[in-house]
Amino acid sequence: QSVLTQPPSASGTPGQRVTLSCSGSTSNIGSNAVNWYQQLPGTAPKLLIYGNNQRPSGVPDRFSGSKSGTSASLAISGLQSDDEADYYCAAWDDSLSGYWVFGGGTKLTVL
Amino acid sequence: QITLKESGPTLVKPTQTLTLTCTFSGFSLSTSAVGVGWIRQPPGKALEWLALIYWDDDKRYSPSLKSRLTITKDTSKNQVVLTMTNMDPVDTATYYCAHSHYDSSGYYVFFDYWGQGTLVTVSS
């Protein structure tokens, strides 16, 4: 059972805009920034968004992130077949001694 | 160019201790605000963070696994070692190590470089 809650699946057609959600609590998303990772089949995760809405160099501006309260969202516009992957949100949790928490991941299918 | 690579046994028996080594290049674990973490992923399942060691030797562990984990670093060898005791079949997973640091603002922290992962199977 992951600490952050993500819908297990989402889908869209090429060119469409999709939004993936991530829900947490006051000790993680409510207090700290959210990062998003993309994991293509058979590969290691790749940092997609950090600091709620910052894109690392090389990440297309089709990907955008936002946060409100204890929830965060990842939006993908102009959906492409290459975007078919698992997407994970993550945040630092301030409880206990502090630790990273991940979501259960959303598998995005491009129809 | 930052690279990380995990190494260790591919098969361990139940109750044994797992020792994994992350060998990295392109950065120093003596640089301020830098860390190396371990994350695992059971087959077909989600990512699970395990442990993190910082440049100043501060260590953090997953609360649910803390009693079984130990993370150490050897700065001179550019290596981070994770040990996990009392292995069980449910610990079967791909284990990743990843580079952690803060962005230029010094405010946001993240895992920006990941190793390729190593699959560890726990079975008798």
Side-chain angles (χ1 to χ4, degrees):
Chain A
Q1 192 80 357
S2 300
V3 174
L4 304 182
T5 300
Q6 298 181 254
S9 64
S11 63
T13 56
Q16 197 175 19
R17 173 186 169 95
V18 296
T19 301
L20 310 182
S21 64
C22 174
S23 178
S25 66
T26 54
S27 62
N28 42 66
I29 294 179
S31 302
N32 297 293
V34 177
N35 303 326
W36 290 89
Y37 298 89
Q38 177 193 58
Q39 187 176 34
L40 298 171
T43 69
K46 167 192 170 184
L47 180 65
L48 198 63
I49 296 287
Y50 70 91
N52 304 321
N53 54 19
Q54 306 296 306
R55 280 187 309 276
S57 174
V59 174
D61 60 7
R62 300 188 297 106
F63 295 91
S64 61
S66 64
K67 187 183 94 167
S68 178
T70 58
S71 295
S73 296
L74 172 71
I76 309 173
S77 61
L79 198 61
Q80 300 177 359
S81 58
D82 289 351
D83 298 332
E84 187 159 292
D86 294 322
Y87 293 84
Y88 293 91
C89 57
W92 183 257
D93 194 300
D94 288 335
S95 62
L96 303 174
S97 299
Y99 59 105
W100 281 102
V101 291
F102 281 85
T106 295
K107 181 174 180 58
L108 176 63
T109 300
V110 181
L111 302 171
Chain B
Q1 179 189 3
I2 290 177
T3 64
L4 304 98
K5 187 172 184 179
E6 307 85 354
S7 59
T10 58
L11 179 66
V12 297
K13 290 180 168 50
T15 75
Q16 287 187 334
T17 294
L18 171 68
T19 298
L20 292 173
T21 300
C22 176
T23 303
F24 56 85
S25 63
F27 69 95
S28 172
L29 202 37
S30 60
T31 300
S32 179
V34 170
V36 171
W38 286 92
I39 302 100
R40 71 178 179 179
Q41 185 174 37
K45 296 189 177 182
L47 300 170
E48 178 185 19
W49 176 78
L50 301 176
L52 176 61
I53 188 164
Y54 293 98
W55 82 101
D56 60 357
D57 210 39
D58 185 19
K59 303 166 186 175
R60 303 300 170 96
Y61 296 99
S62 164
S64 62
L65 293 167
K66 185 175 182 178
S67 63
R68 299 173 54 204
L69 296 173
T70 302
I71 190 169
T72 59
K73 63 180 175 71
D74 187 329
T75 304
S76 64
K77 292 183 178 179
N78 281 352
Q79 289 181 334
V80 170
V81 175
L82 180 76
T83 60
M84 180 180 290
T85 62
N86 194 24
M87 293 293 285
D88 183 272
V90 300
D91 296 313
T92 294
T94 295
Y95 287 75
Y96 297 99
C97 62
H99 171 264
S100 166
H101 84 120
Y102 286 80
D103 75 332
S104 55
S105 74
Y107 191 71
Y108 300 124
V109 62
F110 39 80
F111 295 109
D112 54 353
Y113 293 92
W114 295 61
Q116 63 189 23
T118 185
L119 176 61
V120 177
T121 301
V122 184
S123 174
S124 55

